[in-house]
Amino acid sequence: MENKVLIAPSILSADFSRLGEEIKLVEKAGADWIHVDVMDGVFVPNITIGPLVVKAVRPLTSLLFDVHLMIDDPVRYVDQFAASGADLVTFHVEACKNSKEVIEKIRTNGKKVGISISPGTPVTAIQDVLDKVDLVLVMTVKPGFSGQSFMAECLEKIGEIRKKYSGYVQVDGGINEETARGAISAGSDILVAGTAVFGEKDYAEAIKKLR
Ligand code: DX5
Ligand code: ZN
């Protein structure tokens, strides 16, 4: 059966001491994109990786690098992540004063643009830029950490976006074999998964189960 759902393993749950190898393994296992969670300790209470790490692992795979910026005032770092090899840069509407400025900055760098909403943010917050982005990321956990439980109340927003938007609708947080079904039927076409891929022994089997 033809199934167009894409799987983007989040390297936040990978073994960082073997990061390059982990990326190659998920590519071999059938991953579609590599999801990179960038956190600054300000927008979210966690600090993860920066442009140097993206640059170091970028040559190891031909998969699309999906960089999820969970940083305050993201416009400041777009150039650096683009130069490091991000193909798609997603930022949070809650983290910036002017979304259009960030979108413009990402476009100027020739990259795909994503905009994200946290669980407490309504779809109306991104309404005026929907026609300017390639992807909308609906967070189904509070951004900051992997391994949290899926917030089913966010599914409604996926459906609401899907109705009026033809780009990618990505879902991120608490995705597993079970929650993936609800996200896909609500209209999501890209699933981010950290624990549900890197927490399993057989990555290929784990990815197959999510589709
Ligand atoms: C959370 C990150 C997610 C996280 C997902 O802030 O944006 O990408 O790594 O991890 P799981 O799939 O374990 O919820
Ligand atoms: Zn993410």
Side-chain angles (χ1 to χ4, degrees):
M1 200 173 63
E2 185 69 17
N3 190 334
K4 285 202 303 235
V5 175
L6 304 181
I7 307 296
S10 160
I11 60 169
L12 190 57
S13 299
D15 175 351
F16 271 58
S17 70
R18 301 167 34 249
L19 188 54
E21 196 185 321
E22 291 271 70
I23 290 173
K24 288 185 197 161
L25 285 173
V26 284
E27 173 168 25
K28 222 166 129 200
D32 298 291
W33 293 3
I34 299 294
H35 186 82
V36 183
D37 288 306
V38 176
M39 307 186 188
D40 67 350
V42 179
F43 179 66
V44 289
N46 195 6
I47 300 178
T48 57
I49 69 173
L52 276 178
V53 176
V54 174
K55 192 175 175 193
V57 293
R58 171 67 279 192
L60 303 179
T61 174
S62 56
L63 295 182
L64 182 144
F65 258 48
D66 163 24
V67 173
H68 177 191
L69 298 181
M70 285 161 276
I71 64 175
D72 196 41
D73 201 6
V75 75
R76 298 174 297 149
Y77 286 99
V78 169
D79 289 346
Q80 282 191 49
F81 280 100
S84 305
D87 298 296
L88 164 80
V89 179
T90 297
F91 67 97
H92 273 260
V93 68
E94 307 89 0
C96 60
K97 284 172 225 90
N98 184 348
S99 322
K100 286 183 184 139
E101 181 195 13
V102 189
I103 293 168
E104 195 48 45
K105 188 84 167 166
I106 301 171
R107 289 271 179 236
T108 305
N109 276 282
K111 306 301 178 184
K112 288 196 169 66
V113 181
I115 193 162
S116 182
I117 48 174
S118 292
T121 306
V123 175
T124 48
I126 53 168
Q127 183 64 47
D128 62 333
V129 294
L130 277 182
D131 62 341
K132 296 178 174 54
V133 297
D134 303 295
L135 175 147
V136 174
L137 166 53
V138 177
M139 292 298 299
T140 41
V141 296
K142 236 173 116 184
F145 300 91
S146 60
Q148 303 180 73
S149 301
F150 184 79
M151 297 168 72
E153 60 270 35
C154 301
L155 284 175
E156 216 174 290
K157 290 194 283 184
I158 296 176
E160 194 183 333
I161 295 162
R162 184 75 294 167
K163 263 193 251 154
K164 52 187 167 196
Y165 176 68
S166 59
Y168 291 118
V169 182
Q170 186 177 50
V171 61
D172 183 7
I175 289 292
N176 55 38
E177 200 183 336
E178 201 179 298
T179 57
R181 305 280 74 80
I184 295 167
S185 32
S188 177
D189 44 15
I190 304 186
L191 312 181
V192 174
T195 314
V197 173
F198 288 105
E200 295 293 315
K201 277 214 164 63
D202 184 336
Y203 295 168
E205 193 56 36
I207 289 171
K208 206 167 99 195
K209 278 189 195 158
L210 295 174
R211 291 193 199 274

